Amino acid sequence: MIASGALTIFARNPVHSVLWLILAFFNAAGLMVIVGAEFLAMLLVVVYVGAVAVLFLFVVMMLNIDFAEMRAGFMKNAPLGVAIAVILLAELVLGVGAYRAGALDLGTPDGSAAPLVGESNIESLGALLYGNYLFLFESAGIILLVAMIGAIVLTHRAPTNPRGHQNIAKQNARNPKEATNNVSPEVGKGVEL
């Protein structure tokens, strides 16, 4: 999975990069199956591989990407990217150091999210989501619904010249003599359009 992630970043072709990303998602799903979280594995495959990665692939393949301009933009923004990477690495080092020193207490489980005895992971997850966290789960669904409707409303534009729509009033008001042109072509000469 780490190799696929690295190849996703370092691939020169964007299509190859998306294909490496799909492989990384499949590897992550395989790891989830190994640790016994089969629901999360199937969710990863369906949501990320089935929707997000395929969408990325279609967008990359349909756009006319200028690779020279993309490389120039990469070199222009490389110092900012390196600075952000150094800051994130410093945060990780400080966080791990504080945890090992005992300054961070991550909390202990209280048993409220314990899996149901004799049930599968999916049933335990369903009981937890629709039991203890029902209000939060429904609130997240409503927020996502409002965000989706907002995105549709903000990006929807009425077509200026809709194709396939008839203007019946214009069709009824036309003059039949202007609509057709009767010609008498000579034999063998054809018709001028």
Side-chain angles (χ1 to χ4, degrees):
M1 187 176 81
I2 293 171
S4 300
L7 288 169
T8 300
I9 296 169
F10 293 116
R12 292 188 178 269
N13 189 339
V15 176
H16 294 163
S17 181
V18 173
L19 293 175
W20 285 117
L21 181 67
I22 291 172
L23 182 63
F25 287 152
F26 273 118
N27 288 332
L31 290 175
M32 294 294 176
V33 170
I34 289 173
V35 298
E38 60 275 347
F39 177 73
L40 288 178
M42 293 304 110
L43 198 65
L44 192 69
V45 169
V46 169
V47 172
Y48 285 104
V49 176
V52 175
V54 173
L55 177 68
F56 285 169
L57 189 62
F58 282 144
V59 167
V60 166
M61 290 175 67
M62 291 174 68
L63 290 179
N64 188 10
I65 298 173
D66 185 10
F67 294 108
E69 183 181 335
M70 186 171 32
R71 287 190 188 101
F74 174 77
M75 292 310 294
K76 182 178 73 174
N77 296 323
L80 177 63
V82 170
I84 291 173
V86 168
I87 291 170
L88 291 176
L89 181 64
E91 288 179 358
L92 283 173
V93 168
L94 287 173
V96 170
Y99 175 70
R100 287 190 178 167
L104 291 178
D105 187 19
L106 297 180
T108 56
D110 60 358
S112 63
L116 300 175
V117 177
E119 303 295 338
S120 68
N121 287 342
I122 297 171
E123 291 173 348
S124 297
L125 186 63
L128 188 64
L129 281 179
Y130 293 112
N132 298 351
Y133 300 108
L134 179 63
F135 177 72
L136 295 174
F137 185 72
E138 294 292 331
S139 300
I142 290 172
I143 290 170
L144 289 173
L145 177 66
V146 169
M148 181 183 69
I149 292 171
I152 291 170
V153 167
L154 290 175
T155 59
H156 178 71
R157 289 181 177 83
T160 56
N161 187 9
R163 289 188 274 170
H165 294 280
Q166 295 181 343
N167 188 347
I168 297 175
K170 182 179 177 184
Q171 290 176 356
N172 288 335
R174 71 181 182 175
N175 186 354
K177 293 179 181 176
E178 295 173 358
T180 59
N181 186 14
N182 293 331
V183 294
S184 299
E186 297 179 17
V187 176
K189 294 286 186 176
V191 178
E192 291 183 10
L193 298 176

